[in-house]
Amino acid sequence: TKSPMRVSVSGAAGQIGYALLFRIANGDMLGKDQPVILQLLEIADEKAQKALQGVMMEINDCAFPLLAGMTAHSDPMTAFKDIDFALLVGARPRGPGMERKDLLEANAQIFTVQGKALDAVAKRTVKVLVVGNPANTNAYIAMKSAPGLPSKNFTAMLRLDHNRALSQVAAKVNKSVTEIEKMCVWGNHSPTMYADYRFATTDGKSVKEMINDDVWNKDVFLPTVGKRGAAIIEARGLSSAASAANAAIDHVRDWALGTNGKWTTMGIPSDGSYGIPEGTMFGFPVTTANGEYQIVQGLAIDAFSQERINLTLKELSEEREGVKHLVG
Ligand code: NAX
């Protein structure tokens, strides 16, 4: 049998945590033959720690065969000790009267501390996924705060946007999601992201040609995917949780276990591809193999796509500018 992998999840008592932990312990993320040890991080607040104890009681009550251990933490220095994976879900939500700038700063502080802790105590091969918003910029800050770890180990979650786009397109062309290949999303996890089905195929046929409707793309598809988070809050009274947890599972599973040549989307530090400045935490089409991702190269970027990519890049550059004094 395999030796256990250590997985840390922050924000473990939150709503995404509640939809995520059971699936990790069940083997959905790293495989049905891979034991896991959960190292759960929450804020020191008494209520949060108590809620975390409750979640852990329920996890124990599942008697998961793959769960080889579980601990609760309020300090990232112990939560991240020797970990193979970090799913950084906990973040500071926007409170009443809080400006975007305050939100960026509060989160920059959290992700500076957590980046330093990863640098100090995590395995050198640790794979980090940032879910907590603003996800791309938080991932960028964690990466910059961990100079001793390879930058490529830090990623941000664009997979929920990717899956949302996939589901919309599959419905539009009357196919199942498994029949659609080569979907991707460029840029920031925010309404500015650019979901792009120009390269998508089904049964070898072009999805773009099947849809053949640029107005639908611009006026229906892109706004539907971009504003999906808000639509869910409006309908459910709570933000996306199970779908976000599912996307996190998909992201880490594909990164760790490979996509067999299929495309997916990950927020990763740019290597300069497609004119995106090096280091920018940006959603790209990737394939993965042997625990490494690779950007799909050589895609044609038409004028409309370039405009959309520039827009989401501009937003990310502004976020980055806003936290510059904290990261150096
Ligand atoms: P909740 O408020 O339910 O849970 C967040 C939990 O994180 C809380 O229990 C809180 O105590 C904890 N926390 C806060 N700061 C922490 C810190 N410094 N260390 C450890 N734990 C900390 O939020 P939830 O609905 O679970 O969402 C979590 C985050 O995911 C939010 O930032 C949210 O905006 C973001 N999302 C990101 C998505 C993406 O696609 N990238 C989609 C879904 C989601 O909106």
Side-chain angles (χ1 to χ4, degrees), residues 11 14-16 42-43 89-91 110 114 131-133 157 160 189 244:
Q15 34 150 24
I16 294 176
E42 258 297 341
I43 50 172
V89 178
I110 293 174
Q114 296 191 357
V131 175
N133 278 320
M157 191 163 97
L160 182 53
H189 166 66

Side-chain angles (χ1 to χ4, degrees), residues 15 26 59 107 134 158 174 185 189 244 270 288 310 324:
Q15 34 150 24
N26 191 39
I59 293 171
N107 280 298
L158 268 292
N174 252 311
V185 181
H189 166 66
S270 175
T288 65
N310 290 349
K324 209 167 150 196

Side-chain angles (χ1 to χ4, degrees), residues 9-18 41-43 45 48 74 76 88-93 107 110 114 130-135 138 156-161 164 189 239-241 244-245 247:
V9 178
S10 76
Q15 34 150 24
I16 294 176
Y18 194 73
L41 178 63
E42 258 297 341
I43 50 172
D45 171 76
S74 58
L88 305 183
V89 178
R92 180 76 184 277
N107 280 298
I110 293 174
Q114 296 191 357
V130 176
V131 175
N133 278 320
N138 289 343
M157 191 163 97
L158 268 292
R159 185 60 177 261
L160 182 53
D161 309 278
R164 285 167 173 166
H189 166 66
S239 57
S240 332

Side-chain angles (χ1 to χ4, degrees), residues 110-187:
I110 293 174
F111 285 86
T112 307
V113 170
Q114 296 191 357
K116 285 183 178 154
L118 286 166
D119 202 12
V121 299
K123 276 211 185 122
R124 300 300 86 183
T125 51
V126 66
K127 287 178 160 62
V128 182
L129 167 64
V130 176
V131 175
N133 278 320
N136 296 52
T137 296
N138 289 343
Y140 173 78
I141 292 164
M143 173 181 84
K144 285 292 177 190
S145 307
L149 293 171
S151 304
K152 67 174 168 62
N153 295 16
F154 290 82
T155 66
M157 191 163 97
L158 268 292
R159 185 60 177 261
L160 182 53
D161 309 278
H162 176 99
N163 287 349
R164 285 167 173 166
L166 198 59
S167 149
Q168 293 296 323
V169 160
K172 178 75 176 169
V173 298
N174 252 311
K175 295 277 179 184
S176 78
V177 287
T178 55
E179 293 171 293
I180 313 277
E181 289 191 46
K182 300 187 173 176
M183 173 63 76
C184 68
V185 181
W186 305 87

